[in-house]
Structure formats: structure tokens, C-alpha cells
């Protein structure tokens, strides 16, 4: 999925198109967790980290409309690994994509602050796998799951600051 971009190669991937339906069909949520942005780094979109952050802000706005008092946790994705766009990996990314992915956390943190959402940087807990240089490996999934769990528990207890 992407935040706001239509994928020219895969239908039905735009987050802002899918999210309202998901929110409506899963009413009475305890917490909303948003972690999109890696696919927005694809070369076909040419988007900066700031533009991608504006897309994720649209998702937060949708969440706030559908679930007004539900806490929101915004997670910036892990960084794309060096050489992710090389042959035998994913040609939809390149070196610029890697750079953009490394700048998402700073932009997402600003969006979280401006929209009273909690924030977590996935790159603080996990790295891209050596297998494909873009997804988490088993250890990364476990570490990130623990961090997300801790953050959600803190949110439910009212102990977590926005950042």
C-alpha cells in the first residue's frame, strides 16, 4: 500500500482510498496504528519525505474523523537497505528511494506532533533483511512488535508522550 498514490502496476493500493472503509468496518477501536510510506519511496512517485508525510497526515485526518477519541500511533517505516534497487532485488527503488526512506522519521515526527498522535520510529528497532533489503526479517519483526506493544500499553495507561 501507499499513503495517497495510485500504483500504476497494482490496483487498489492507495491507503486513503482503503482506510475509511477499514475504519468504518472495525468501529470501536482501542488504538489506530498507521505504518505506511515505504512504497511511497518508489521511483515512479518521485516523492520527497515531506510529500510522503503529507500523505500520512491525510490518513491521520481520516482516522480522526472516523474514530475521534481513539489514540493514533504513527510509525515511520524502517529504512530501505543499501542497494535495494540493484538487479535481483527491487527495481522499483533506487538510491534516491533509500535516501527518502531515511528522512521519513523526521517528517513523520513533525506530523505526529502537529496532529496529537503518538510516534515510533521503526528504524530504531529493526533493519531491512539481507534477503530483499526492504522488508524486516524475523528478528526485526519481533523487536518492532515488542516496541509497538510497549507503546500501545503506555498509550492505554495515558503514560506516553506524543513522541
Amino acid at each position: 500500500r501507499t499513503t495517497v498514490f495510485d500504483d500504476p502496476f497494482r490496483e487498489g493500493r492507495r491507503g486513503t482510498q482503503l482506510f475509511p472503509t477499514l475504519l468504518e468496518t472495525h468501529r470501536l477501536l482501542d488504538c489506530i496504528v498507521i505504518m505506511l510510506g515505504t512504497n511511497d519511496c518508489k521511483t515512479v512517485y518521485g516523492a520527497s519525505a515531506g510529500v510522503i508525510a503529507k500523505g500520512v497526515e491525510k490518513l491521520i485526518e481520516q482516522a480522526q474523523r472516523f474514530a475521534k477519541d481513539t489514540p493514533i500511533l504513527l510509525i515511520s517505516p524502517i529504512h530501505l537497505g543499501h542497494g535495494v534497487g540493484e538487479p535481483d532485488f527491487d527495481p522499483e527503488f533506487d538510491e534516491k528511494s533509500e535516501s527518502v526512506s531515511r528522512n521519513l522519521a523526521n517528517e513523520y515526527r513533525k506530523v505526529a506532533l502537529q496532529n496529537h498522535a503518538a510516534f515510533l520510529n521503526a528504524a530504531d528497532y529493526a533493519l531491512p533483511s539481507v534477503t530483499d533489503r526492504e522488508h524486516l526479517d524475523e528478528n526485526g519483526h519481533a523487536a518492532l512488535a515488542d516496541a509497538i506493544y510497549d507503546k500501545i500499553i503506555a498509550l492505554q495507561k495515558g503514560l506516553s508522550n506524543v513522541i
Side-chain angles (χ1 to χ4, degrees):
R1 271 74 19 215
T2 65
T3 58
V4 297
F5 300 110
D6 284 315
D7 189 317
F9 307 111
R10 295 171 196 90
E11 293 181 29
R13 301 296 175 120
R14 183 167 35 107
T16 53
Q17 182 179 17
L18 301 168
F19 202 37
T21 302
L22 293 172
L23 291 166
E24 188 174 332
T25 58
H26 294 85
R27 285 241 182 235
L28 300 178
L29 300 166
D30 295 320
C31 183
I32 297 170
V33 179
I34 301 170
M35 183 176 152
L36 287 176
T38 299
N39 288 327
D40 296 62
C41 296
K42 290 179 179 180
T43 58
V44 68
Y45 306 120
S48 67
V51 166
I52 296 168
K54 286 181 181 182
V56 86
E57 186 168 30
K58 289 289 187 194
L59 293 165
I60 290 173
E61 290 168 2
Q62 288 178 327
Q64 290 170 335
R65 272 196 310 275
F66 281 89
K68 186 177 180 182
D69 296 321
T70 304
I72 298 170
L73 172 57
L74 176 60
I75 304 174
S76 63
I78 63 168
H79 302 158
L80 289 166
H82 180 67
V84 67
E86 292 176 357
D88 298 325
F89 288 97
D90 194 334
E92 293 184 273
F93 297 103
D94 64 9
E95 288 180 14
K96 184 174 185 241
S97 304
E98 294 172 33
S99 175
V100 170
S101 77
R102 286 190 293 274
N103 291 316
L104 289 176
N106 288 335
E107 297 298 325
Y108 278 34
R109 183 178 283 108
K110 292 176 200 174
V111 167
L113 278 169
Q114 291 167 354
N115 291 277
H116 309 289
F119 173 77
L120 188 117
N121 181 4
D124 289 342
Y125 302 93
L127 300 170
S129 72
V130 294
T131 306
D132 69 4
R133 302 176 183 174
E134 66 184 283
H135 296 100
L136 289 76
D137 61 15
E138 185 176 344
N139 292 335
H141 274 285
L144 182 56
D146 288 342
I148 293 169
Y149 175 82
D150 290 344
K151 190 70 158 186
I152 290 172
I153 294 300
L155 279 169
Q156 289 176 339
K157 291 181 179 180
L159 300 175
S160 180
N161 292 332
V162 172
I163 300 302

